[in-house]
Amino acid sequence: SGLIQQADASAARAVGLATTLDHPVSIVHTLSTMSYVYQFRGDRELTFATVQRWAPMVEKWGLHFYAPGVPLLIAWANVAGSDVTEAT
């Protein structure tokens, strides 16, 4: 839908801005929020791929507040399997 595309574009701009500003908390926050949005949508592949982007940053920058989300989202993506639309 158009709203989903707008949301995705806004999120991409937010990641771009946070990256340009070299602001670790904003980068991780934006990517982790995107991961949860993808999970709520039932998109296993995007959830997993996005978590893989920010998970290393949590440890690198000591952003431990975000650490519990990493195994949670990865486990969901693994359990959801390839046909997540029927599992939700």
Side-chain angles (χ1 to χ4, degrees), residues 2-16 30 34 38 41:
L3 292 177
I4 290 174
Q5 291 170 343
Q6 287 176 358
D8 289 345
S10 292
R13 284 192 305 274
V15 171
T30 303
M34 289 168 63
Y38 297 145
R41 288 186 198 167

Side-chain angles (χ1 to χ4, degrees), residues 8-84:
D8 289 345
S10 292
R13 284 192 305 274
V15 171
L17 178 59
T19 302
T20 298
L21 295 173
D22 195 25
H23 195 258
V25 174
S26 295
I27 296 167
V28 171
H29 181 76
T30 303
L31 289 170
S32 68
T33 300
M34 289 168 63
S35 297
Y36 285 104
V37 169
Y38 297 145
Q39 180 197 25
F40 296 149
R41 288 186 198 167
D43 192 323
R44 173 192 173 278
E45 289 80 17
L46 272 177
T47 301
F48 188 78
T50 306
V51 171
Q52 293 301 311
R53 287 178 63 189
W54 61 271
M57 299 176 198
V58 169
E59 188 66 31
K60 176 182 177 182
W61 292 324
L63 301 173
H64 303 294
F65 174 81
Y66 296 93
V70 173
L72 173 80
L73 290 164
I74 289 174
W76 175 83
N78 287 327
V79 169
S82 61
D83 193 6
V84 80

